């Protein structure tokens, strides 16, 4: 028994110790179990909250994405609509439009009058700087009405410059009228124009298909028109006569305040007449057609300026351009001066041109012309002008580069004069 | 005998007649700017700023 007690008691004490130790060790854990459950619950709650927030943010993000996409589509729609419609301004009227256009034409112009030479920074008088507004309204299928305002602004015009000038010619540094007119047109009845503009005969001696019109007009372009011829052997004494005095192309009644009627075009033919302020009047016929690539332009005019300028005149011109680019143009005009003892004034010219394509930037044109005048300004005067010209189009810039060199030769009664050589190069830019 | 001016007046009449006679032949229209405009008119074509038509066009909305 004693042995039994001796053996069992220590064993039981040991087991109790172990049990107590285990309890001691596990007590904190057992005591901590309720706290861990709370944390998990909190974590679950936080997780749920965060999940909600994330889902909310995701919804917001999706909404933002949708809004950005909608805005992008709206901007694209507006751009496409603007591109399709073009810039618009409300006028309050349907079937109307206002077209604004113009050009700047500047050149470096050279003149040698036989005594002195000089370079000028000038406006090209053959195709001067200008601005144009054309308003048009279509009243119905047949009737159209409109108004045109076109003004020039030729600073230091190549037609006005003189060797002795100190500054730009002040008189030319302002707007000058070209067209200020109203018009009504009917497909069957023709067109009626009222105001400042081209008379019927204006341009009838200027048919020209050469393609060098930006610098070389039909015989005389006004370039150097105010440079006086110098008397030979006098060290520059002026003759008092300029190219402008004796190289008039006699282009009908030009532009003036008039009422003008143009017939409808019938098989390429158009007839015109105008009555000009001062009781002048004129008639003109024009023709333009293309035959298998060959272009034909013809014109003829008669004008009566007796009440104002005491003269009547007529002129005709023709230009033919073959399909391979070579053109031939010619004109003749004659004015009967009513003053006693005055001879008729005459002008004629011929021009050979060719246009071709050497680069893809635009067409190239060259021409050579010769013109002659007789008795212009006074009996006994004869003038000769000849020139070589070229023009290069730059289609992407709406521009033409041009160059010219020409000679005026005057034969004046009783005196010997020096030839005047002129030339230059420049650019015409349509804007 | 006709003077030079008289001959040329008849030449002008002949030219007009020739225009009408030519009209009867087969042909195509020529752009009006090539035969109806004054020599120093602005030619149609593109513009540096206005693009292909060479003019800014304002139209109603």
């Amino acid at each position: 028994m004693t042995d039994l007690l001796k053996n069992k008691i220590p064993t039981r004490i040991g087991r109790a110790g172990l049990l107590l130790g285990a309890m001691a060790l596990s007590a904190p854990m057992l005591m901590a179990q309720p706290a861990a459950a709370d944390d998990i619950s909190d974590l679950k709650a936080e997780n749920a909250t965060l999940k909600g927030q994330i889902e909310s943010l995701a919804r917001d993000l999706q909404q933002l994405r949708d809004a950005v996409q909608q805005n992008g589509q709206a901007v694209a729609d507006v751009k496409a609509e603007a591109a399709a419609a073009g810039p618009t301004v409300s006028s309050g009227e349907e079937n109307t439009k206002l077209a604004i256009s113009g050009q700047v034409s500047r050149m470096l112009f050279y003149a040698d009058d036989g005594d002195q030479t000089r370079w000028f920074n000038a406006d090209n008088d053959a195709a001067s700087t200008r601005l144009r507004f054309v308003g048009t309204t279509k009243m119905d299928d047949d009737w159209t009405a409109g108004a045109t305002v076109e003004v020039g602004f030729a600073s230091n015009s190549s037609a006005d410059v003189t060797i002795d000038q100190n500054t730009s010619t002040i008189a030319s540094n302002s707007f000058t009228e070209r067209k200020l007119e109203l018009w009504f047109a009917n497909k069957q009845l023709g067109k009626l124009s009222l105001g400042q503009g081209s008379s019927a005969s204006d341009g009838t001696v200027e048919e020209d298909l050469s393609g060098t019109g930006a610098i070389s007009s039909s015989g005389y372009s006004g370039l150097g028109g105010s440079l006086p011829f110098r008397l030979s052997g006098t060290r520059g004494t002026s003759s008092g006569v300029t190219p402008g005095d004796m190289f008039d192309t006699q282009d009908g009644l030009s532009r003036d305040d008039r009422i003008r009627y143009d017939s409808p075009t019938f098989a390429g033919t158009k007839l015109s007449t105008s009555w000009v302020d001062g009781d002048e009047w004129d008639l003109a016929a024009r023709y333009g057609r293309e035959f298998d690539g060959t272009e034909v332009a013809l014109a003829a005019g008669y004008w009566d300026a007796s009440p104002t300028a005491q003269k009547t005149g007529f002129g005709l011109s023709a230009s033919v351009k073959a399909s391979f680019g070579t053109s031939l143009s010619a004109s003749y005009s004659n004015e009967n001066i009513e003053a006693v003892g005055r001879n008729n004034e005459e002008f004629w010219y011929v021009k050979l041109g060719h246009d071709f394509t050497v680069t893809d930037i635009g067409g190239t044109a060259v021409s050579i012309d010769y013109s002659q005048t007789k008795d212009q300004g006074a009996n006994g005067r004869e003038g000769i002008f000849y020139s070589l010209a070229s023009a290069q189009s730059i289609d992407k810039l709406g521009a033409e580069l041009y160059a010219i060199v020409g000679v005026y030769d005057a034969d004046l009664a009783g005196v010997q004069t020096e030839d005047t050589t002129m030339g230059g190069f420049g650019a015409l830019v349509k804007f | 005998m006709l003077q030079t001016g008289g001959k040329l007046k008849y030449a002008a009449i002949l030219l007009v007649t020739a225009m009408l006679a030519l009209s009867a032949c087969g042909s195509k229209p020529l752009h009006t700017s090539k035969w109806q405009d004054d020599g120093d008119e602005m030619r149609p074509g593109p513009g540096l700023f206005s693009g292909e038509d060479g003019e800014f066009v304002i139209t109603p909305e």
Side-chain angles (χ1 to χ4, degrees):
Chain A
M1 179 73 177
T2 306
D3 294 338
L4 179 66
L5 290 172
K6 284 182 181 176
N7 293 331
K8 286 187 177 178
I9 287 172
T11 303
R12 286 178 179 174
I13 289 172
R15 287 179 179 169
L18 288 172
L19 183 61
L20 286 171
M23 289 175 65
L25 288 172
S26 61
M29 294 176 66
L30 292 172
M31 290 173 66
Q33 256 186 340
D38 289 344
D39 289 344
I40 289 170
S41 178
D42 291 344
L43 286 171
K44 284 183 176 177
E46 287 178 8
N47 189 36
T49 302
L50 287 171
K51 186 179 179 184
Q53 289 176 343
I54 289 171
E55 288 174 351
S56 176
L57 287 171
R59 283 195 299 273
D60 291 345
L61 184 60
Q62 187 58 43
Q63 287 176 350
L64 285 171
R65 282 177 175 161
D66 292 344
V68 168
Q69 190 172 9
Q70 287 174 357
N71 285 339
Q73 186 60 45
V75 169
D77 289 345
V78 168
K79 283 183 175 177
E81 190 176 335
T88 59
V89 176
S90 175
S91 75
E93 295 290 341
E94 294 182 355
N95 301 321
T96 65
K97 71 171 187 176
L98 174 64
I100 304 170
S101 58
Q103 66 186 28
V104 176
S105 182
R106 300 293 303 184
M107 68 181 299
L108 293 176
F109 179 67
Y110 171 82
D112 177 353
D113 65 4
D115 179 60
Q116 300 177 74
T117 63
R118 179 166 172 171
W119 282 94
F120 302 91
N121 187 329
D123 199 276
N124 169 19
D125 194 64
S128 57
T129 297
R130 68 194 65 169
L131 180 63
R132 179 170 66 187
F133 299 85
V134 180
T136 308
T137 183
K138 187 176 179 183
M139 296 185 285
D140 58 32
D141 288 342
D142 289 329
W143 283 96
T144 307
T148 301
V149 173
E150 183 177 317
V151 291
F153 202 138
S155 177
N156 208 32
S157 169
S158 56
D160 295 336
V161 296
T162 60
I163 295 279
D164 299 327
Q165 69 179 20
N166 292 321
T167 59
S168 299
T169 307
I170 295 172
S172 66
N173 290 340
S174 62
F175 282 110
T176 52
E177 63 180 12
R178 287 181 56 84
K179 292 182 179 179
L180 307 161
E181 62 178 351
L182 309 169
W183 49 267
F184 302 89
N186 180 282
K187 288 180 181 174
Q188 281 78 40
L189 301 176
K191 181 180 179 183
L192 191 68
S193 307
L194 175 66
Q196 162 77 20
S198 288
S199 63
S201 54
D202 187 25
T204 50
V205 297
E206 294 181 342
E207 295 294 357
D208 179 9
L209 297 170
S210 68
T212 57
I215 186 64
S216 171
S217 186
S218 307
Y220 170 65
S221 306
L223 301 173
S226 297
L227 298 166
F229 290 105
R230 304 294 179 179
L231 297 178
S232 299
T234 63
R235 295 187 177 179
T237 301
S238 171
S239 67
V241 179
T242 67
D245 295 329
M246 58 180 295
F247 283 90
D248 185 1
T249 60
Q250 300 176 321
D251 193 25
L253 297 180
S254 191
R255 286 187 300 273
D256 209 334
D257 297 297
R258 90 301 189 224
I259 182 167
R260 169 175 169 168
Y261 169 74
D262 292 281
S263 74
T265 301
F266 173 72
T269 304
K270 181 186 282 288
L271 304 176
S272 312
T273 184
S274 57
W275 178 82
V276 180
D277 187 60
D279 216 16
E280 300 173 349
W281 63 275
D282 59 1
L283 289 167
R286 292 175 172 81
Y287 177 84
R289 296 293 278 183
E290 180 183 327
F291 300 85
D292 291 331
T294 298
E295 299 175 348
V296 177
L298 310 172
Y302 173 85
W303 54 94
D304 184 343
S306 299
T308 55
Q310 292 77 50
K311 65 181 181 181
T312 58
F314 68 93
L316 43 154
S317 62
S319 185
V320 179
K321 180 178 173 183
S323 56
F324 46 85
T326 299
S327 64
L328 182 64
S329 308
S331 80
Y332 176 83
S333 59
N334 184 303
E335 287 190 332
N336 176 30
I337 310 300
E338 295 173 355
V340 176
R342 280 286 280 117
N343 297 337
N344 283 9
E345 297 184 348
E346 292 181 84
F347 172 88
W348 66 268
Y349 101 103
V350 62
K351 184 179 196 177
L352 180 65
H354 185 69
D355 72 18
F356 49 98
T357 302
V358 289
T359 70
D360 57 1
I361 63 172
T364 305
V366 295
S367 68
I368 182 168
D369 66 353
Y370 178 93
S371 58
Q372 195 166 329
T373 71
K374 188 176 180 185
D375 296 321
Q376 286 203 6
N379 289 350
R381 286 182 184 171
E382 289 190 7
I384 293 171
F385 173 70
Y386 49 92
S387 70
L388 176 66
S390 66
Q392 173 65 54
S393 295
I394 305 177
D395 294 338
K396 285 186 178 177
L397 297 180
E400 274 188 87
L401 306 179
Y402 50 74
I404 189 172
V405 60
V407 176
Y408 293 107
D409 179 0
D411 185 0
L412 306 179
V415 295
Q416 185 75 29
T417 58
E418 297 292 319
D419 292 348
T420 297
T421 303
M422 65 88 188
F425 57 90
L428 181 155
V429 177
K430 288 183 66 183
F431 57 82
Chain B
M1 186 171 178
L2 289 170
Q3 297 295 316
T4 304
K7 289 179 181 176
L8 289 166
K9 284 179 186 174
Y10 281 107
I13 294 169
L14 187 64
L15 182 63
V16 174
T17 307
M19 291 177 190
L20 296 172
L22 280 171
S23 300
C25 303
S27 58
K28 291 194 298 183
L30 194 61
H31 194 285
T32 56
S33 65
K34 293 187 173 182
W35 61 282
Q36 291 189 25
D37 288 349
D38 185 23
D40 70 342
E41 287 296 299
M42 278 197 295
R43 297 297 179 195
L48 178 58
F49 309 113
S50 52
E52 186 176 353
D53 293 336
E55 58 185 19
F56 296 97
V57 177
I58 299 172
T59 56
E61 283 182 335

